[in-house]
Amino acid sequence: MKKLLGLLVLLSTAAFSRELTLESAIDLALENGKTIKTSELSKENAKLNVRRAFKTALPTVTYNGQYQRAEHETRNMIETIDSNGTVGLKSKSGYSQTIGLYQPLFRGGAITGGILGAEASKSIADIYLLSEKRDVRLDIISL
């Protein structure tokens, strides 16, 4: 029984195995490597930082709307007759809205410095990703 099981395992490994070339080993390492994934994530973070730095230089648009209605029972207001004939207290209502556009004009070069720093960190992340890919290739070849 043990011999039959050993023979089955031996035949199954031979049947389900595949040929692994150097190029396919390198491709698998580049697709599934932990350091490569980490480098790609840092590259994406650097791209987001560049976008965030440009966003601080753009104008900001804000909107604020408000509706108020107040009934003045304590004041001696003139009573009004509604269209249906009921007597009610006079009330005041109002709607106010504001739209604002804010543009940073001068911050001592902080906006420009932030953009340049984010672009520099993006180029560093690109170079680091390429060096990690090179190192993975060399490690696979040396094995």
Side-chain angles (χ1 to χ4, degrees), residues 53-93:
F54 273 110
K55 185 179 176 184
T56 59
L58 296 175
T60 305
V61 178
T62 60
Y63 171 78
N64 186 12
Q66 182 179 7
Y67 177 76
Q68 289 181 338
R69 182 173 183 178
E71 294 182 4
H72 302 282
E73 295 180 12
T74 57
R75 294 184 184 173
N76 191 6
M77 310 253 337
I78 301 172
E79 293 182 351
T80 59
I81 299 176
D82 293 337
S83 61
N84 59 2
T86 60
V87 176
L89 293 174
K90 193 167 194 169
S91 63
K92 292 185 176 182
S93 64

